[in-house]
Amino acid sequence: MTTARTATPSTARAINDRLALDLLLGQGPLTAPELRSLTGLSRPTVADLLERLQRSGLVAVVGESGEVRRGPNARLYALVADRAHLGGLDIREAGVSLVVADLTGRTLATAEIRAGAGAATGDVAARTVRTLRERAREAGAEVLHTVAVGAPGLVDPATGELYGSGGLPRWHAGLLAALRAEHGTGLILENEVNLAAVAEHRIGAARDRDTFVLLWLGHGVGAGVVLDGRLRRGASGGTGEIGFLPVPGTGTLPSAAGCEGGFHSLANSAAICALAAAHGLPEPAAGRPPRARAQADVVTRAEEVVRTALGGGPAAAAFLDELAERIAVGAAAVCAVLDPGCVVLGGEIGRAGGERLAALVERRLAGLLPLRTEVRAGTAGGGAVLAGAVLTAGDTVRRELFGGGDQLAGAAGAR
């Protein structure tokens, strides 16, 4: 038997403060009457919380409402966006993309750091950290509160360490160590596809879904799994490592040492380039096999051939049909276990194929499974990993600054 607990005055204040702050974050500047209407709180309670939040430096008066009314116009209250700053990084083989944002998640500065072939660990790490500091200062912050980093590989939930990243450059580990050494800045490390799934859930194609799978189609394949509104990582951080799925059509099986022979071999960028050549479409690189070229170059060529095929003739249509069939094989294995009801196609190839590729995959998936599954094209764009990093870092910053987050589950305003 459970006993209902009565909220203490301090708990009630924390709940009310967090409720008001979340509304100001989501809807922008609001008047006190608007806050009363949205929260259902009394006039004295709203007045008290606004005074308290102004004293804490989280909320400020930013103007007056434009209403035509007798007497003075109501004051507009808003979050103090520069109360804290945050960063997001997307680490790839060829370099790093970064963004600096304010408390509301608004982008203030961006930068690209190229690694180059055979880049030294210390050089890339130093340039990235230096650029991050410079962009933060340009945005008005001496220290970033939190930085979220998206990287290829598995992130151990117990230790927070990146592992299982195969042949990734050594500078990745060096950069992560340098970021952890930044005094006063918290670091969040997350798998890149997981961050993209966060972006699709919050601002992209799955905003209306609490359960879905993001199928990432780029250099390799991966998945971000969101069930009941929560990102799932698994016991070892390996949820979504679908490159290792044994599937028909590869002629062999994957192993613990590598995903060749798994779904990776059917749908990675090199396989897509080879499939295009088999259908008589333009070769991905004159005189050189896809495997001999840099990852980013192969991905770009695969993206180009898929985009070009959308407006092509019979050979291009046959290529798209076979590509959709390959993708559906991997999606079917995931859906047979999770039954997510929705699959979002992301990554460079998913974006290039758009709604047409999504529709082709959905049709083939319906022939493989009795489970109704909608397939959508991702809409978070090429910056999905960075967008997810900013959202993740922002959630952490606001939990710390706003407080009361755990008290809000299922609660309305406490009176």
Side-chain angles (χ1 to χ4, degrees), residues 24-399:
L24 291 170
L25 174 66
Q27 301 192 28
L30 296 169
T31 64
E34 287 170 335
L35 280 171
R36 291 200 300 271
S37 174
L38 290 167
T39 62
L41 298 172
S42 66
R43 181 189 296 266
T45 300
V46 169
D48 180 58
L49 73 83
L50 285 173
E51 181 181 352
R52 186 165 57 249
L53 293 174
Q54 288 180 88
R55 287 199 307 268
S56 71
L58 289 171
V59 168
V61 176
V62 295
E64 295 182 344
S65 67
E67 299 173 0
V68 178
R69 47 180 283 177
R70 296 179 62 185
N73 288 333
R75 293 177 174 179
L76 279 170
Y77 297 89
L79 288 179
V80 178
D82 61 359
R83 177 70 168 75
H85 293 82
L86 53 97
L89 273 71
D90 180 7
I91 301 179
R92 299 297 178 97
E93 179 203 34
V96 182
S97 301
L98 65 83
V99 61
V100 174
D102 63 20
L103 180 59
T104 68
R106 181 171 62 98
T107 296
L108 302 177
T110 62
E112 298 281 339
I113 297 91
R114 293 301 171 194
T121 297
D123 175 62
V124 179
R127 282 193 289 127
T128 301
V129 172
R130 182 173 63 250
T131 303
L132 185 60
R133 289 173 181 165
E134 290 171 353
R135 295 297 183 270
R137 292 192 187 101
E138 291 170 7
E142 285 300 316
V143 177
L144 295 176
H145 184 289
T146 300
V147 173
V149 178
L154 285 71
V155 179
D156 190 321
T159 65
E161 295 296 325
L162 184 70
Y163 73 101
S165 51
L168 291 175
R170 286 186 297 175
W171 63 261
H172 283 208
L175 174 56
L176 293 173
L179 290 169
R180 287 192 175 99
E182 283 292 281
H183 181 70
T185 298
L187 181 70
I188 300 171
L189 179 60
E190 183 60 89
N191 172 267
E192 58 178 349
V193 180
N194 284 346
L195 290 182
V198 170
E200 292 292 356
H201 189 211
R202 300 273 287 277
I203 62 172
R207 282 175 291 179
D208 61 337
R209 292 278 186 168
D210 279 339
T211 295
F212 74 99
V213 169
L214 169 66
L215 203 63
W216 185 266
L217 305 166
H219 166 66
V221 294
V225 177
V226 175
L227 302 178
D228 300 323
R230 294 182 57 191
L231 181 68
R232 305 293 175 163
R233 298 176 179 85
S236 59
T239 296
E241 289 296 307
I242 60 172
F244 288 89
L245 277 175
V247 292
T250 64
T252 184
L253 290 174
S255 70
C259 54
E260 292 297 329
F263 181 49
H264 171 85
S265 295
L266 271 188
N268 68 25
S269 56
I272 291 171
C273 290
L275 179 65
H279 282 273
L281 301 184
E283 293 288 337
R288 298 182 67 186
R291 294 179 189 276
R293 309 172 68 211
Q295 288 182 10
D297 195 16
V298 180
V299 173
T300 298
R301 292 297 297 151
E303 183 181 0
E304 288 174 357
V305 77
V306 170
R307 186 173 286 112
T308 301
L310 295 175
F319 159 74
L320 289 173
D321 283 342
E322 188 169 348
L323 175 60
E325 188 171 337
R326 290 185 178 195
I327 295 169
V329 167
V334 175
C335 293
V337 175
L338 299 178
D339 188 18
C342 178
V343 171
V344 175
L345 302 185
E348 293 86 351
I349 308 307
R351 292 195 305 275
E355 294 181 0
R356 182 175 171 187
L357 181 60
L360 290 172
V361 173
E362 180 175 320
R363 189 181 311 156
R364 278 148 186 78
L365 194 57
L368 294 173
L369 290 176
L371 308 174
R372 293 183 59 183
T373 307
E374 183 180 4
V375 180
R376 301 177 178 179
T379 59
V385 176
L386 272 181
V390 169
L391 289 165
T392 300
D395 288 344
T396 298
V397 174
R398 289 187 290 271
R399 270 197 303 272

